[in-house]
Amino acid sequence: MIRQAASFIQSMLMMIYIRRMNLAQLDLNLLVALDALLAEGGVGRAAQRLNLSQPAVSHALRRLREATGDPLLVRVGPRMELTPHAQALRAPLAQALEQVRGLFQAQGFDPATSARGFRLMMPDLCVDLLMPAVLAQVAAAAPGVRLDVVPWRGPAVLTPDFARTIDLVVAWTGEAYPGFHRQTLYTDRDTLAVRRGHPDVGRLSTLAGFNAARHVAVVGAGERDDAIEPFLRQNGVERRIALAVPSYLQALRMTARSDLVAFVPGRLIAALAGPLDLVRVEPPIDPGEDAQYLFHPVVAHRDPGSVWIRELVLRVGRGL
């Protein structure tokens, strides 16, 4: 710990020292030349290391002496030796150059060793459909990675500050989130769910049975109607809504414990039919196909970690 602190202090002192020099007139290559001169202790060997001519390295040494106000290398008998100031520069200069090189190297991502966290924004419907398989794959390939699922927000309330904290979004809306790139994740079709043993299960596929049933609607925060309602009205269907809840999962739980009928995405019914003892029934009217989309930040398009997590989620979604 003490060595790390001393190394950090030396590096910081070197950076402060460099800042005091006239950076507008200082070529970064001079620092590379300085590193070679300090490591080799002579112009000839430094020139070989840099694959430059001796006159070019001698010229660099003159400029470094002017910039630092120190001779850096002095002749002692037949050989050159570093001044105390030059000796003090060796370690922090090497660290400073390594940091500069790191600025221009792509940051890799190794799932097996990473402890990175990813924030995923998605509705509860997608959590139930996707996360069990996503978690299984993450546990196998990246046991140190953490996933944080945050409640879904529409594009209108996704502020720029909040958006910067999100690694990917799953949403049914075709609208683009500002600063995010969109891809189709999977498609689905709404159908009916009832509890096993429902007394009217045989009639629900008819329009008369559908209209007579007592329905549970899913009305999200800030919404006035279930998302399926406009389609039904356009087709002259006015169903009897006995209960409205804010999520599909709550709708299916209430359906499993009552004679209510839920008109919800078919993939969710298939995923929870066993645990909730539900039966899927084809509706008398076809609402058509819906899509769920995956959004990722444009600024992270080439980030290796972002590429890894979105490819994993895409693989799960498209494999449903």
Side-chain angles (χ1 to χ4, degrees), residues 19-269:
R19 289 193 192 102
R20 287 179 178 173
M21 301 164 71
N22 189 347
L23 291 181
Q25 297 178 2
L26 181 64
D27 185 348
L28 183 61
N29 287 324
L30 283 179
L31 297 182
V32 178
L34 176 59
D35 183 53
L37 285 163
L38 299 184
E40 300 296 340
V43 172
R45 290 189 298 274
Q48 291 178 353
R49 176 171 173 168
L50 296 170
N51 197 24
L52 294 173
S53 67
Q54 286 196 29
V57 177
S58 294
H59 177 66
L61 178 57
R62 283 195 300 271
R63 292 180 61 190
L64 285 163
R65 284 168 170 167
E66 293 172 1
T68 62
D70 187 89
L72 300 175
L73 284 167
V74 295
R75 183 167 294 282
V76 179
R79 65 179 186 277
M80 301 292 288
E81 289 191 3
L82 303 182
T83 66
H85 182 60
Q87 290 281 8
L89 289 178
R90 290 188 62 180
L93 174 62
Q95 292 177 10
L97 285 175
E98 188 64 28
Q99 291 174 358
V100 171
R101 293 186 188 102
L103 294 175
F104 300 96
Q105 294 175 352
Q107 297 298 310
F109 177 80
D110 181 4
T113 60
S114 177
R116 181 168 169 177
F118 294 96
R119 282 167 60 86
L120 320 178
M121 186 176 79
M122 61 181 70
D124 66 337
L125 156 71
C126 297
V127 175
D128 277 278
L129 277 180
L130 301 172
M131 291 311 294
V134 168
L135 284 171
Q137 293 196 26
V138 169
V145 163
R146 168 174 169 166
L147 303 180
D148 290 306
V149 177
V150 300
W152 181 83
R153 299 188 187 185
V157 295
L158 189 65
T159 65
D161 286 343
F162 181 72
R164 280 192 286 271
T165 70
I166 299 298
D167 291 290
L168 59 84
V169 177
V170 177
W172 64 269
T173 176
E175 297 178 68
Y177 285 76
F180 283 72
H181 178 73
R182 190 187 77 180
Q183 296 172 271
T184 300
L185 181 59
Y186 68 86
T187 58
D188 204 349
R189 188 181 298 271
D190 283 359
T191 188
L192 296 175
V194 297
R195 68 173 178 84
R196 189 176 301 278
H198 191 286
D200 297 323
V201 66
R203 300 180 60 243
L204 291 173
S205 292
T206 68
L207 194 56
F210 180 89
N211 288 335
R214 298 171 69 243
H215 290 253
V216 53
V218 179
V219 181
E223 303 292 332
R224 298 182 61 185
D225 286 320
D226 190 315
I228 197 68
E229 222 61 48
F231 167 80
L232 294 176
R233 289 182 186 137
Q234 288 172 9
N235 288 272
V237 177
E238 288 285 347
R239 61 177 180 165
R240 296 172 56 198
I241 296 177
L243 175 68
V245 294
S247 75
Y248 288 111
L249 186 57
Q250 290 174 351
L252 288 180
R253 284 176 175 165
M254 293 307 301
T255 299
R257 299 164 65 185
S258 69
D259 286 340
L260 294 176
V261 175
F263 201 8
V264 298
R267 292 189 185 278
L268 186 62
I269 301 173

